[in-house]
Amino acid sequence: GYLTESSGTTAFGAAVTSVTGIAHGLDVTPAAKDFNLQYVADPLAGGHIWVSAITSSTFTLNLKGTGPGGAGTTVGWQLLAGR
């Protein structure tokens, strides 16, 4: 089939503000509007999250701020492309 849905989690280490080269595995290049991002833990602990550098195979997740006490945080992501 033609893969247009994908999901996963991405961990941000302490003081890390972006994770690059995250493989989405879709058969299409998604748009920013196709992403649903959600903190796995307290959303206020990590700051703002957004996606950038979207390509036909990968994307980057960005984090403004860090987890409590400079600790990392984990973001869940879901892609529903072409909807």
Side-chain angles (χ1 to χ4, degrees), residues 22-53:
I22 303 165
H24 55 66
L26 300 182
D27 291 328
V28 297
T29 300
K33 68 175 185 63
D34 297 328
F35 285 81
N36 179 22
L37 306 175
Q38 183 70 40
Y39 280 103
V40 174
D42 180 3
L44 298 177
H48 302 289
I49 51 174
W50 70 96
V51 64
S52 66

Side-chain angles (χ1 to χ4, degrees), residues 2-83:
Y2 195 69
L3 191 59
T4 59
E5 297 181 15
S6 184
S7 63
T9 58
T10 299
F12 287 81
V16 172
T17 58
S18 67
V19 177
T20 62
I22 303 165
H24 55 66
L26 300 182
D27 291 328
V28 297
T29 300
K33 68 175 185 63
D34 297 328
F35 285 81
N36 179 22
L37 306 175
Q38 183 70 40
Y39 280 103
V40 174
D42 180 3
L44 298 177
H48 302 289
I49 51 174
W50 70 96
V51 64
S52 66
I54 303 165
T55 72
S56 61
S57 59
T58 65
F59 63 95
T60 296
L61 279 180
N62 304 282
L63 174 67
K64 182 176 182 179
T66 58
T73 192
T74 300
V75 173
W77 54 268
Q78 179 183 33
L79 271 166
L80 301 172
R83 306 250 169 168

